[in-house]
Amino acid sequence: MLSAITVAKETISFQDSPDPTVEPGHALVRVHNVTLCGTDLHIWEDDYPTELPLIQGHEFSGIVETLGPEVPCDAGVTGRATATGPAFSIGDRVAVNPIIYCGECRPCRTGRYNVCQNVGCLGCYSNGAFTELISVPVEKLCPVPDDLPLDIAAMGETASIAMQAVNRGRPEPGETALVLGSGPIGLLATLYLTELGVNVICADTEQHRLDLAVEFGAADTLLVAPGTDFPDEHQTHRLDTLTDGYGPQVVIEATGVPSSLENAIRLVASAGRIVQVGISPRLANVSMKDIPYKELDLLGSRMSLNLIPEGLALLARHPGQARTLMTHRFAFSDLEKAYRLMQGRTEKIGKVLIQMPAGGTA
């Protein structure tokens, strides 16, 4: 089989290797589609806490090709297999949960395995999906809804991250949420919040992203001029009008920009919830007064608690918006071109799809 190995900074080597053998309790998945996110770019740029060489790719979908001998597993945790046999058949269309966790540390024992102390991720810390065949535990397989195209299903992991962030914020119908950043995570969070009956305001520095936010259900949008104070006087008035002067009850910070978290703390309502899902190593100047005075819940959100099946269902309910997210397609052989596109930031980029040999041509 052919694999793309990131062997050094911005260097990919395509190499042939024997097909993997299927282990007990595992399935061989023929990879059809892989989507890229910012983490993939950072790994390719060798600006991520993982070691190269590495087969990247953690957002993917494919077809079950072989099922290995079944072994008992904890159906209460995974919901995907039982001691009497796997819940999947050869030929099934699947997305894959890439998270690897130990099951023994305190977070795992309390059901928070997405922040396992020994957490891993296929394609980030161990070899992933930029290969024609991959062996994964059966409990990592997520069935793709019949009406969801397999290429869109590769974004199931992306949708799960957005849903995890929303769930962390505990939104209630009728509340108002401010989503800072209308990239793929922010847009999918907006879509999910809208389904939950929440009034969503989106803010971003790019008008075309805000136009998309309206398609994803945003009731109002705020264009942030780079290098200026946000919100300006007009935007402050609009926020006050939309929230009866109290501020949004929930803020989803999906940019990773330090000043955006600072804005979230200033703008959120008293007794409100802020969810930080954007990731950055930079430091924010966080007020030590506003958090206790407002008695805020400041919450982090990482990956998801096996929400990929729910993410796939969300995408299936909104096929038009899901298709809009996917702005670029590349053949597997053009993987480096895809990274160069993301690195250049010269085009309007949503999700970038890599079509593997089994998935057709771009």
Side-chain angles (χ1 to χ4, degrees):
M1 66 177 184
L2 188 64
S3 302
I5 305 174
T6 302
V7 294
K9 180 179 180 179
E10 299 179 15
T11 305
I12 294 173
S13 174
F14 286 90
Q15 300 179 15
D16 282 312
S17 60
D19 290 352
T21 57
V22 62
E23 305 170 40
H26 281 56
L28 287 186
V29 175
R30 176 75 61 178
V31 183
H32 280 231
N33 305 280
V34 186
T35 53
L36 299 177
C37 74
T39 296
D40 299 299
L41 178 64
H42 288 309
I43 294 172
W44 177 74
E45 293 175 328
D46 199 15
D47 183 28
Y48 194 80
T50 192
E51 294 184 4
L52 302 179
L54 179 72
I55 298 174
Q56 293 185 234
H58 65 281
E59 304 174 358
F60 63 103
S61 60
I63 303 290
V64 175
E65 188 154 306
T66 305
L67 290 168
E70 197 276 330
V71 294
C73 67
D74 186 353
V77 173
T78 66
R80 296 292 167 228
T82 70
T84 59
F88 292 89
S89 303
I90 293 171
D92 282 351
R93 304 183 321 137
V94 295
V96 176
N97 181 355
I99 301 175
I100 302 168
Y101 52 91
C102 72
E104 298 177 357
C105 66
R106 181 174 293 174
C108 282
R109 294 198 308 269
T110 58
R112 301 284 291 277
Y113 48 85
N114 60 318
V115 287
C116 167
Q117 288 181 300
N118 306 295
V119 72
C121 183
L122 298 176
C124 297
Y125 302 104
S126 58
N127 287 334
F130 281 134
T131 187
E132 294 186 84
L133 276 171
I134 185 170
S135 177
V136 296
V138 170
E139 64 265 25
K140 300 296 182 184
L141 301 182
C142 305
V144 174
D146 291 340
D147 54 351
L148 184 66
L150 200 55
D151 59 343
I152 297 298
M155 296 192 297
E157 202 261 349
T158 307
S160 76
I161 292 172
M163 297 179 81
Q164 175 78 11
V166 169
N167 290 347
R168 291 281 286 156
R170 309 185 306 276
E172 296 289 340
E175 289 188 324
T176 297
L178 174 64
V179 177
L180 299 174
S182 292
I185 298 297
L187 289 171
L188 288 167
T190 298
L191 190 65
Y192 183 39
L193 283 163
T194 301
E195 275 199 346
L196 296 175
V198 177
N199 302 309
V200 184
I201 305 165
C202 289
D204 199 276
T205 59
E206 300 287 343
Q207 184 60 53
H208 76 275
R209 288 187 169 191
L210 294 178
D211 293 340
L212 281 177
V214 173
E215 294 182 30
F216 279 69
D220 209 332
T221 62
L222 303 171
L223 180 63
V224 182
T228 64
D229 290 335
F230 171 78
D232 61 25
E233 184 178 352
H234 175 63
Q235 292 168 336
T236 298
H237 177 71
R238 286 169 64 190
L239 280 170
D240 286 344
T241 300
L242 292 166
T243 64
D244 296 326
Y246 293 106
Q249 290 99 333
V250 179
V251 179
I252 306 291
E253 202 302 298
T255 72
V257 176
S259 60
S260 188
L261 175 58
E262 297 162 19
N263 289 333
I265 292 171
R266 285 191 300 103
L267 296 174
V268 71
S270 290
R273 292 91 70 197
I274 297 170
V275 180
Q276 182 64 46
V277 63
I279 297 174
S280 170
R282 291 175 289 177
L283 301 179
N285 292 316
V286 174
S287 168
M288 295 296 289
K289 181 184 74 173
D290 288 344
I291 295 174
Y293 273 29
K294 290 184 176 182
E295 201 173 45
L296 303 178
D297 289 357
L298 182 54
L299 305 158
S301 183
R302 186 181 186 190
M303 297 185 285
S304 84
L305 288 170
N306 198 27
L307 291 177
I308 291 180
E310 288 82 356
L312 293 169
L314 178 71
L315 297 172
R317 290 194 296 272
H318 303 277
Q321 289 91 334
R323 183 65 66 184
T324 300
L325 272 183
M326 196 170 290
T327 57
H328 294 78
R329 293 171 177 260
F330 290 87
F332 185 36
S333 58
D334 290 330
L335 177 58
E336 185 172 325
K337 292 181 181 179
Y339 283 130
R340 296 288 180 194
L341 172 76
M342 295 173 67
Q343 187 181 53
R345 303 180 186 278
T346 57
E347 296 187 26
K348 298 174 181 177
I349 300 173
K351 294 298 290 184
V352 176
L353 175 75
I354 306 300
Q355 289 186 302
M356 302 296 287
T361 58

